[in-house]
Amino acid sequence: MISKWSASIARASGSIRGSSAPVTYSLIALCCTVFLAGPASGIGPAYGSGDDLLAAQRAYFRHWGVIPADLFEASPGAALTPVTALFVHGTWVHLLGNMLFLYVFGAMTEERMGRVQFTLFYVGCGYLALLGYAVANADSEQSLVGASGAISAVLGAFLYLFPRARVTSLLPFLFFLPVRFPAWVVLPFWAALQWLAAGRAPEGPGVAYLAHLVGFGLGFCYASVRYGRPTGPTRVRKAPAPAPEGENQP
């Protein structure tokens, strides 16, 4: 999960050299492995092609994704889908967009939180973000997959922990001229766009903007309660501005 307003390349100033973020890198590796092994990538010959491939993808998303209408049944399997859905992505763009932003913002957040706490934070906030969307759309039969809720939580935590980290974006409506803003400007602007998009989102398949908002809010609130005052200016690795691809509803 994150919006298209900065879908062009964006970069944060400075770089981390030799950073240690094994959980972040393991999450990226796991999501990529799951995607490549499943039918969504379209490269596995075992799933066939054409209608057979589409049928396999639909069955795959329904099995591992969150289906709000089924989530609140007395089924242990359904209760686990907000976890399994975090590692399933609908398209190549969906996967690469999410993993790019996890790579950028996850490493610093993990280093600040520590490995165990970051793991619990990522999975817990991702679960609650998808659960929040399911509660608000309890009658929906659409499968919901993607790590955007969890990554949005990472962005929320990053905003609180590193508010003065400067983000340089190449925006298309400014002829791709680099513009630098601190995180406390860029990330709230992104959240506002998610809020507006959530209000306009049509029924049916699309991007689960509400899950982004829930995750972002959870991440920010958790960091503020857990860590108190935010840190000073921090150098962050070059990377895109915060706009991970949204949860996919195949």
Side-chain angles (χ1 to χ4, degrees):
M1 81 338 131
I2 295 180
S3 71
K4 308 259 184 198
W5 69 274
S6 60
S8 60
I9 298 177
R11 303 190 180 276
S13 63
S15 62
I16 296 176
R17 299 190 182 278
S19 65
S20 176
V23 175
T24 296
Y25 303 141
S26 296
L27 288 170
I28 292 172
L30 179 57
C31 286
C32 291
T33 300
V34 169
F35 182 79
L36 292 173
S41 66
I43 63 176
Y47 299 106
S49 59
D51 292 340
D52 290 339
L53 178 59
L54 291 176
Q57 291 174 346
R58 285 193 293 268
Y60 180 74
F61 294 138
R62 289 193 67 83
H63 183 74
W64 298 109
V66 176
I67 302 175
D70 298 339
L71 183 59
F72 303 106
E73 296 181 354
S75 169
L80 289 175
T81 55
V83 175
T84 59
L86 295 177
F87 304 96
V88 177
H89 290 82
T91 66
W92 283 94
V93 172
H94 188 205
L95 172 75
L96 296 176
N98 275 349
M99 294 306 99
L100 180 58
F101 294 107
L102 177 56
Y103 172 76
V104 171
F105 295 99
M108 286 182 62
T109 307
E110 179 185 344
E111 288 178 343
R112 180 69 177 87
M113 291 184 175
R115 299 173 186 177
V116 174
Q117 187 174 165
F118 179 77
T119 302
L120 296 175
F121 164 80
Y122 181 90
V123 175
C125 288
Y127 188 104
L128 292 175
L130 294 176
L131 182 63
Y133 177 88
V135 169
N137 299 271
D139 296 329
S140 175
E141 295 284 348
Q142 294 292 335
S143 301
L144 183 67
V145 298
S148 299
I151 296 172
S152 294
V154 172
L155 295 182
F158 186 94
L159 171 61
Y160 186 83
L161 295 172
F162 311 107
R164 286 177 281 179
R166 297 189 68 83
V167 177
T168 302
S169 300
L170 303 179
L171 302 177
F173 56 84
L174 292 179
F175 303 101
F176 297 97
L177 294 175
V179 181
R180 299 184 66 197
F181 296 103
W184 66 265
V185 172
V186 176
L187 289 170
F189 179 58
W190 168 81
L193 289 178
Q194 302 306 295
W195 178 271
L196 292 173
R200 295 171 152 182
E203 295 292 331
V207 177
Y209 295 106
L210 180 60
H212 301 177
L213 291 170
V214 173
F216 187 82
L218 287 171
F220 186 87
C221 291
Y222 175 84
S224 65
V225 171
R226 175 66 177 81
Y227 296 101
R229 297 182 63 182
T231 63
T234 306
R235 293 171 63 85
V236 293
R237 64 162 55 86
K238 292 183 178 180
E245 277 296 311
E247 275 88 353
N248 211 34
Q249 296 175 279

